[in-house]
Amino acid sequence: SVLVSQKFQKEGFRSAILKGQGNALWYPNPMHRMPGDIDIWLEGGREKIMAYVRHYFLKASARYHHVDFPIIKGIDIEVHFTPTWMSAYPDNRFLQKWFAEEQEAQFANTVTLPENTGTIPVPTPAFNRIFLLIHIYRHFFDEGIGLRQLLDYAMLLNQGTTEKEKAESVRILKRMHLLRFTSALMHILQNVFGIEGKHLLTAPSEKEGDFILQEIMQNGNFGQHNRNINRQNGKSASYFTSKFLYKTRFLTRYPRETIWGHVFWIGQRIWRWHKIKGVGKKVAECTLLYGFGKYEIRVNKHLDEIPRQHPSRLPRRHETVCLRGLGTPSKHNGTDTHRNGKAPPACIHHP
């Protein structure tokens, strides 16, 4: 996390590490918390961040809130445009506005990791009381809740908070219609993880809590044993159908999330398909440009050996762009030239 955060800082992005090592500091022994992937929230917005990511991975496909950035072998990195989302449009509009208002404090909040590993920027406890609960909420409707997520939230609440801070958290959660889920979570944290009542955000609901706890026990950690969803092929019609029907089961308890969730989910699939199709078309055009001699490009190195340009200096209209995987140009001595003596127009330099 330290290396990733410092790298983005050097590239001109302020950031905050979501979950992960920041959460580990709430534990009596931070080394006891098993890490997962690295989630990092960057400043700058989707377009700027995607331009940077596609500088390294041309076909990178974004979801609503993040894009995968496998720049380090063996480590999953998710670069976030926004920490999370709500399916209901009015609730999500409120949430994204709240994120925008709070981002300065999150990027400026740094903590020191154990054993002099370094410092990283992490969200504040007040921010995490909202963000982490919504993150668990999202997992409940999609992948399944993980025990590590519940334990993280238990450790967070165990840090203590003032009544004023607690009231503000409840106000925000109520505005997004999350009090039922919050009361269910409070029941689980109190009765399974032993959190004292004085640390709970709301009064616990045994009925709602037992329902969610039963889902967790049946479906396994992070929903790995959820037989209601066909995970054999994540792009198959049976997968989409099974996931649609699985979410519909929660209609009576969470009608707002269930109805809006279907609309949001379908809309995102269409949006992602359109984006992926557009990127594929650009790659095809680029391949034709290099592969069929529309321009004679003279280089003294193979494309794979040419250093990539920094995204802060995107190619101008008549500059050559060197992209991995677009074929090998004609090999000649000298510099890049067009057959009429001018530099060829850039292939792709931003999404």
Side-chain angles (χ1 to χ4, degrees):
S1 295
V2 175
L3 175 64
V4 173
S5 178
Q6 290 176 346
K7 173 62 176 176
F8 280 116
Q9 182 72 31
K10 291 178 181 178
E11 298 287 5
F13 292 98
R14 290 197 300 169
S15 65
I17 299 293
L18 303 173
K19 304 173 292 179
Q21 289 180 307
N23 292 8
L25 296 177
W26 304 326
Y27 288 67
N29 185 342
M31 304 305 291
H32 286 171
R33 185 191 185 275
M34 182 178 294
D37 55 6
I38 296 177
D39 294 80
I40 184 166
W41 177 21
L42 297 187
E43 183 183 36
R46 179 180 285 105
E47 295 301 321
K48 180 180 178 181
I49 295 171
M50 285 305 298
Y52 179 86
V53 171
R54 285 184 176 153
H55 179 71
Y56 294 92
F57 304 98
L58 186 61
K59 284 192 175 185
S61 176
R63 298 185 181 184
Y64 175 80
H65 64 308
H66 79 261
V67 60
D68 292 331
F69 190 54
I71 197 69
I72 302 176
K73 186 177 181 180
I75 300 177
D76 294 329
I77 300 175
E78 293 181 359
V79 176
H80 285 248
F81 323 120
T82 183
T84 188
W85 80 97
M86 292 291 292
S87 295
Y89 175 76
D91 300 341
N92 191 49
R93 182 175 58 183
F94 172 84
L95 179 63
Q96 300 310 319
K97 181 180 179 182
W98 185 75
F99 284 154
E101 293 170 350
E102 296 292 325
Q103 68 174 7
E104 284 292 331
Q106 315 317 311
F107 297 146
N109 185 54
T110 59
V111 295
T112 301
L113 298 179
E115 301 180 1
N116 297 319
T117 308
T119 61
I120 56 172
V122 299
T124 62
F127 185 92
N128 273 324
R129 282 194 292 272
I130 304 301
F131 162 62
L132 291 180
L133 188 141
I134 297 176
H135 183 66
I136 296 171
Y137 185 69
R138 294 261 55 86
H139 270 260
F140 176 63
F141 285 94
D142 289 300
E143 304 170 36
I145 296 175
L147 293 178
R148 182 175 60 204
Q149 296 172 331
L150 296 175
L151 186 55
D152 279 352
Y153 206 75
M155 293 294 101
L156 169 63
L157 294 187
N158 209 37
Q159 303 300 304
T161 181
T162 66
E163 290 300 319
K164 182 178 180 181
E165 292 171 334
K166 188 184 297 184
E168 176 62 11
S169 296
V170 171
R171 181 192 71 82
I172 296 171
L173 294 171
K174 182 179 180 179
R175 172 62 181 77
M176 293 183 287
H177 304 85
L178 286 170
L179 288 189
R180 169 175 280 189
F181 184 80
T182 302
S183 66
L185 201 61
M186 296 302 107
H187 171 75
I188 296 173
L189 296 182
Q190 184 178 52
N191 290 276
V192 178
F193 294 90
I195 299 301
E196 297 181 36
K198 64 180 181 180
H199 295 314
L200 302 180
L201 296 180
T202 65
S205 171
E206 181 178 357
K207 179 181 178 181
E208 297 300 327
D210 285 346
F211 173 76
I212 292 179
L213 187 58
Q214 183 180 14
E215 289 290 317
I216 296 172
M217 299 304 293
Q218 286 181 347
N219 299 331
N221 197 33
F222 289 103
Q224 294 177 7
H225 302 286
N226 189 342
R227 298 180 180 179
N228 296 302
I229 299 178
N230 183 0
R231 301 178 184 272
Q232 292 183 357
N233 186 345
K235 296 182 180 180
S236 66
S238 61
Y239 168 77
F240 293 121
T241 302
S242 64
K243 200 163 187 180
F244 184 90
L245 294 175
Y246 174 73
K247 291 183 177 182
T248 304
R249 296 170 58 247
F250 306 123
L251 181 61
T252 56
R253 276 187 162 82
Y254 301 97
R256 188 180 183 87
E257 175 63 31
T258 303
I259 296 172
W260 275 102
H262 288 329
V263 175
F264 183 90
W265 192 50
I266 294 172
Q268 282 297 299
R269 290 292 169 180
I270 295 173
W271 176 77
R272 290 182 67 191
W273 175 82
H274 175 73
K275 289 290 185 181
I276 292 172
K277 182 180 178 182
V279 171
K281 182 179 179 181
K282 290 181 180 180
V283 172
E285 289 174 350
C286 236
T287 304
L288 288 173
L289 179 66
Y290 279 103
F292 292 94
K294 184 177 179 181
Y295 298 101
E296 181 181 351
I297 303 174
R298 297 180 180 178
V299 297
N300 54 17
K301 290 184 178 180
H302 189 281
L303 282 178
D304 285 354
E305 300 172 349
I306 298 176
R308 297 166 182 266
Q309 294 177 350
H310 190 280
S312 64
R313 181 184 177 277
L314 292 176
R316 298 187 182 89
R317 179 178 176 80
H318 294 295
E319 289 183 329
T320 303
V321 184
C322 301
L323 296 172
R324 189 178 303 276
L326 297 182
T328 305
S330 301
K331 293 184 178 180
H332 300 280
N333 295 325
T335 58
D336 301 351
T337 58
H338 183 268
R339 62 180 58 186
N340 62 10
K342 297 181 180 180
C347 233
I348 299 177
H349 55 266
H350 57 78

